[in-house]
Amino acid sequence: MISPALPARLSRKPFPLVLALVSVVLQCVGLYSPGGSTPIVLPIPHLDKIVHVGLFAVPVFLLLWAGVRHRVVLPLAALQVLASELIQARWVPNRTGDWQDALADLIGIGLGVLAAWWFRRAQTSLRR
């Protein structure tokens, strides 16, 4: 019996899907863990924005590589951007919601999509 919930192409790529799910768990840990009571002085200006870009680019890329459709990944990633900043601002101790973090998250989503497109294109050209 074929499960209608999962597209057939997902069953051929379990490793990328496992990596994607692990990256989503790590993303949630990074976004929703309480902050320290003393502010951290970063050695590189805006390093936190670079971390935000990576926290979204990696899961988006891996989910698309695993074969999850864009129409599923992109709305969920955008929802995660909004939810994470709202939750950080209201309920996570020693964390704040920040529109600049949200912008970095959206840039990460875009880079993840771009990387998946490039990767798929490279794979296709190698098969020829």
Side-chain angles (χ1 to χ4, degrees), residues 27-28 30-32 52 55-56 77-92 95-98 101-102 105:
Q27 176 192 57
C28 288
L31 292 172
Y32 301 113
H52 274 269
L55 280 174
F56 280 83
L79 183 62
Q80 176 77 309
V81 170
L82 295 174
S84 68
E85 294 307 320
L86 177 66
I87 290 169
Q88 286 177 21
R90 303 218 187 249
W91 296 292
V92 180
R95 298 288 295 268
T96 60
D98 182 6
D101 288 348
D105 298 342

Side-chain angles (χ1 to χ4, degrees), residues 45-57:
H46 307 293
L47 180 62
D48 65 314
K49 304 307 180 239
I50 296 168
V51 170
H52 274 269
V53 168
L55 280 174
F56 280 83

Side-chain angles (χ1 to χ4, degrees), residues 16-78:
L17 187 58
V18 169
L19 284 177
L21 294 176
V22 167
S23 74
V24 169
V25 168
L26 293 174
Q27 176 192 57
C28 288
V29 169
L31 292 172
Y32 301 113
S33 294
S37 59
T38 58
I40 298 172
V41 177
L42 299 173
I44 300 171
H46 307 293
L47 180 62
D48 65 314
K49 304 307 180 239
I50 296 168
V51 170
H52 274 269
V53 168
L55 280 174
F56 280 83
V58 171
V60 166
F61 166 74
L62 291 172
L63 286 165
L64 293 173
W65 179 37
V68 181
R69 299 182 192 280
H70 283 83
R71 68 176 182 232
V72 173
V73 173
L74 297 181
L76 288 176

Side-chain angles (χ1 to χ4, degrees), residues 8-22:
R9 62 185 174 162
L10 281 182
S11 63
R12 289 185 267 147
K13 297 181 182 179
F15 180 69
L17 187 58
V18 169
L19 284 177
L21 294 176
V22 167

